[in-house]
Amino acid sequence: MTRSQPLWWLTGLLAVAVAGVAGLAFGPVRLPPVAVATEILNLLPGVRMQSGLSEREVAVLLQLRLPRVVLGLLVGAMLALAGAAYQGVFRNPLADPYLLGVAAGAGLAASAVIALDGPRALLPAAAFAGALAAIGLTYLLGAAGGRDRSPAALILAGVAVAAFLQAGQTWLMQRHADDLREIYSWLLGRLATGGWSDVRMLLPYVVGTAIVVLLHRRELDVLTVGDEEAAGLGLHPQRSRLILVAAASLGTAAAVSVSGLIGFVGVIVPHTVRLLAGASYRAILPLSMLFGAAFLMLADLLARTAAAPAEVPIGVITALCGAPFFVLVLRTHRRVAL
Amino acid sequence: MARGRRTLAVILALVAVTAGCASPDEPAPPTSSAEASAAYPVTAGGVTLDQRPQRIVSLSPTATEVLFAIGAGPQVVAVDDRSDFPADAPVTDLSGFQPNAESISARTPDLVVISNDLNDIVASLTTLKIPVYLAAAATSLDDGFRQWRELGALTGHPAEAEDLVGRVGTEIDKLVAGLPERATPLTYYYELGPELYSATSTTFVGALLGRAGLTNVADPADANGAAGGYPQLNQEFLVKANPDLIFLADVTCCGQSAATVAARPGWNTMTAVQRKQVVALDDDIASRWGPRVVDLVRAVTDAVAKVPA
């Protein structure tokens, strides 16, 4: 299955580069491409060139657009990686942070922090706690059927947990109408407000999660054949599972706490990668990060420019692309299962 | 928004019809008499009352302010949980966001004033034969004045309402007339939340700020009105648009201030931030179309007057 892998690596890197350059070159404020390139080169040590941009335009480029593109890269890579990891851990091609209730759990906890006027620095920690609680609940409910639980049971449990948590969130929003706009905006997803501080906040989580998950890529491949076989090969399937779920949930929670709920990246991207580059997690995990990053950077470019100078919530864009894709995957998956 | 308003108008018309059917007598023609006692039955804003209401329930903070300002305060028996002005308003746990016909009718009102027909509340109350006056968010100062006059007519205080409209109108005209002449109009950004939701000139507050001779930078973001006059703006665009003035209507709700605005990435390059032309407004006053709208206009004109012409 790995025969065409170098090609996909190249394509992935190229996609990230193209999306990144496009994200920097275009925006609601028109900046000359040459000037943009000049200012980016000025970031290198020792380079000092005149770009002809005003101080305000430089601020737009370096303090608003560049961090936003980087944030898109990090969030996209994180959500796609987490989705791929969940799919491996639960041996379920439909698992993603949204269907498993992880995002809803993180969402409820983060909304509670906003609604109860808690310190915003608490957001990632609260989101992580909510994410873990949600996935724990999903797992327990999905496993209630016994040892040989079906993939459908887990997903259905996730849907139930997500619905329950979203109801809690709706109730919270209704009780705290003053915070409605803030929570609502966050629910729809946004890569807008914090600039570099959001990037600095998220980066360690993404790097940490990526390291942990990528180190377990072999375990994920083995888990696909079954727990007994994995144990037979000298692995601790439950321990690997726990580590992977914790890492993916922490990463998702951190991403969600800065970007809001951005749906479907975690399911579209790993699937595309699986269809294109084969079923080995050694390829799926890193390629998902690349394509996830590229996808979200492009989605954000659309979010920024489609209705400029107004914003379209990025969650709307990813869901608009994701929902039809999801149906397609469901159809092909059923064909395989039959 | 245009469609929303039309729907609202249709609902209002329907309500007017059903309200008319519900009352046994033919509604009398609208009265403009200042003699409150002799005025009933009275019809205003599609509502007909046979006698002066003595148990008014207001589920709209704006309406509460208006009712007390026109001397109908003693007739008000209950107001919603957000009606925090004036201080002696009888606040209850009734909600204008989740109006509940049963809890409202438990107060045995003879007039309910509400700003949104949520949960089909108008139809429910009409079924219970409780008259409902729908004071939808005003779209202009004149629209607000119309509501004040209608509330005055319904509650038996038409003269006081007319007087209030006159005083507020004159005061606003005076404030606006006192502004210095400018070659180019100042531009402004009006912030409703730190997620950069704003209000265009088509909204009540936008229209009000337009009277002070200001140009709204948010207008191109909702040129077709699809966002109902409340678009979410892009950060890059705002920094580049570089408004002369920034008005914050998200001070109490969201903890914004001149300092937090200055700390946002890139915003320290903006004229309004550098020249300290970031104005913190009172969230509540800024989102209501009641008598305290004068205070809002004063805050705006004070800020405008300070900018050298």
Side-chain angles (χ1 to χ4, degrees):
Chain A
M1 272 300 192
T2 52
R3 60 203 139 79
S4 58
Q5 245 197 56
L7 178 69
W8 291 114
W9 271 95
L10 212 64
T11 314
L13 287 169
L14 201 67
V16 169
V18 168
V21 169
L24 276 178
F26 305 109
V29 170
R30 196 168 297 168
L31 302 173
V34 180
V36 171
T38 310
E39 284 298 338
I40 299 297
L41 288 176
N42 274 345
L43 293 177
L44 299 172
V47 184
R48 249 319 98 230
M49 289 185 289
Q50 285 300 322
S51 66
L53 294 182
S54 72
E55 185 202 2
R56 201 168 301 118
E57 286 169 327
V58 174
V60 163
L61 180 66
L62 299 183
Q63 294 186 51
L64 297 175
R65 200 179 287 179
L66 183 58
R68 200 165 158 163
V69 169
V70 176
L71 203 61
L73 180 134
L74 292 177
V75 171
M78 187 61 249
L79 292 177
L81 177 71
Y86 286 130
Q87 288 163 21
V89 165
F90 296 113
R91 276 186 278 151
N92 190 321
L94 300 181
D96 93 329
Y98 292 84
L99 280 179
L100 294 175
V102 179
L108 176 60
S111 302
V113 172
I114 295 175
L116 305 177
D117 284 325
R120 295 298 185 269
L122 260 181
L123 272 179
F128 178 56
L132 274 190
I135 195 142
L137 203 59
T138 297
Y139 190 73
L140 284 177
L141 288 172
R147 269 184 61 85
D148 47 6
R149 55 196 171 271
S150 71
L154 186 73
I155 293 298
L156 287 175
V159 169
V161 167
F164 181 79
L165 296 172
Q166 276 155 14
Q169 170 141 23
T170 305
W171 181 76
L172 203 64
M173 286 165 71
Q174 192 227 317
R175 301 292 301 171
H176 297 267
D178 280 346
D179 300 306
L180 263 187
R181 220 174 5 236
E182 189 176 351
I183 298 177
Y184 190 61
S185 170
W186 182 87
L187 281 180
L188 293 173
R190 66 197 149 100
L191 290 179
T193 35
W196 287 113
S197 65
D198 281 347
V199 172
R200 273 194 297 271
M201 204 289 296
L202 184 57
L203 188 63
Y205 293 95
V206 174
V207 172
T209 303
I211 289 173
V212 172
V213 172
L214 289 175
L215 282 177
H216 285 76
R217 60 194 184 282
R218 202 173 74 89
E219 278 84 344
L220 277 171
D221 274 334
V222 178
L223 281 174
T224 55
V225 294
D227 283 13
E228 322 244 296
E229 290 81 350
L233 288 168
L235 294 178
H236 301 276
Q238 290 307 339
R239 199 179 64 191
S240 304
R241 250 197 203 109
L242 206 66
I243 293 172
L244 279 161
V245 166
S249 302
L250 179 59
T252 300
V256 156
S257 72
V258 299
S259 70
L261 297 186
I262 301 177
F264 282 109
V265 181
V267 69
I268 309 177
V269 174
H271 267 287
T272 319
V273 169
R274 188 176 285 115
L275 289 172
L276 297 175
S280 163
Y281 279 95
R282 263 172 297 186
I284 291 176
L285 295 173
L287 286 178
S288 290
M289 291 184 79
L290 287 180
F291 284 105
F295 174 70
L296 210 64
M297 284 192 282
L298 288 177
D300 185 51
L301 179 58
L302 262 179
R304 285 184 279 146
T305 52
E311 282 277 317
V312 181
I314 189 169
V316 170
I317 308 247
T318 56
L320 274 179
C321 306
F325 184 88
F326 194 64
V327 172
L328 203 74
V329 169
L330 271 177
R331 286 177 62 92
T332 48
H333 182 71
R334 190 193 293 161
R335 211 175 302 143
V336 172
L338 289 171
Chain B
M1 189 59 175
R3 185 177 305 161
R5 232 177 272 141
R6 218 171 300 135
T7 319
L8 215 61
V10 171
I11 293 171
L12 262 175
L14 282 174
V15 168
V17 169
T18 34
C21 293
S23 82
D25 310 300
E26 277 297 296
T31 175
S32 58
S33 162
E35 300 299 309
S37 50
Y40 291 89
V42 64
T43 299
V47 186
T48 300
L49 297 179
D50 293 326
Q51 45 191 291
R52 184 183 167 112
Q54 296 303 331
R55 297 188 56 81
I56 301 172
V57 170
S58 167
L59 296 182
S60 153
T62 298
T64 303
E65 294 193 22
V66 176
L67 289 168
F68 276 82
I70 61 176
Q75 295 153 260
V76 177
V77 293
V79 302
D80 70 293
D81 52 359
R82 311 212 147 245
S83 286
D84 52 7
F85 187 93
D88 53 341
V91 179
T92 67
D93 57 0
L94 292 174
S95 165
F97 287 102
Q98 286 293 320
N100 179 293
E102 274 188 40
S103 354
I104 296 169
S105 67
R107 311 265 168 181
T108 58
D110 47 15
L111 176 64
V112 173
V113 185
I114 193 158
S115 59
N116 286 301
D117 186 12
L118 299 166
N119 298 357
D120 266 337
I121 189 67
V122 173
S124 308
L125 291 173
T126 306
T127 313
L128 298 172
K129 303 219 185 311
I130 299 171
V132 189
Y133 177 74
L134 183 63
T139 51
S140 66
L141 198 52
D142 285 336
D143 192 27
F145 286 168
R146 171 186 61 79
Q147 292 183 4
W148 303 3
R149 288 194 179 100
E150 287 174 354
L151 282 172
L154 289 171
T155 58
H157 300 274
E160 289 98 320
E162 199 55 53
D163 180 50
L164 183 69
V165 166
R167 269 187 293 133
V168 168
T170 315
E171 187 67 22
I172 289 177
D173 288 344
K174 208 161 65 186
L175 286 168
V176 170
L179 290 173
E181 292 278 331
R182 277 171 214 283
T184 45
L186 294 173
T187 57
Y188 75 97
Y189 158 58
Y190 187 90
E191 178 165 294
L192 291 169
E195 320 80 24
L196 312 185
Y197 278 99
S198 189
T200 69
S201 298
T202 62
T203 64
F204 176 75
V205 72
L208 212 55
L209 268 67
R211 286 185 57 156
L214 300 174
T215 304
N216 193 336
V217 297
D219 285 349
D222 189 33
N224 59 4
Y230 298 98
Q232 186 178 18
L233 297 182
N234 177 277
Q235 200 156 207
E236 273 185 24
F237 160 77
L238 261 179
V239 170
K240 184 76 199 298
N242 193 28
D244 298 302
L245 289 152
I246 295 175
F247 293 104
L248 300 176
D250 53 0
V251 175
T252 323
C253 75
C254 320
Q256 297 306 303
S257 65
T260 62
V261 167
R264 294 178 191 171
W267 288 54
N268 56 354
T269 63
M270 292 165 80
T271 306
V273 173
Q274 289 177 347
R275 299 200 183 143
K276 310 222 177 305
Q277 284 155 201
V278 180
V279 185
L281 301 173
D282 179 313
D283 297 14
D284 286 339
I285 295 178
S287 63
R288 296 176 191 178
W289 53 100
R292 290 193 294 165
V293 71
V294 172
D295 299 341
L296 173 64
V297 176
R298 189 176 295 117
V300 170
T301 51
D302 281 354
V304 172
K306 276 192 209 135
V307 179

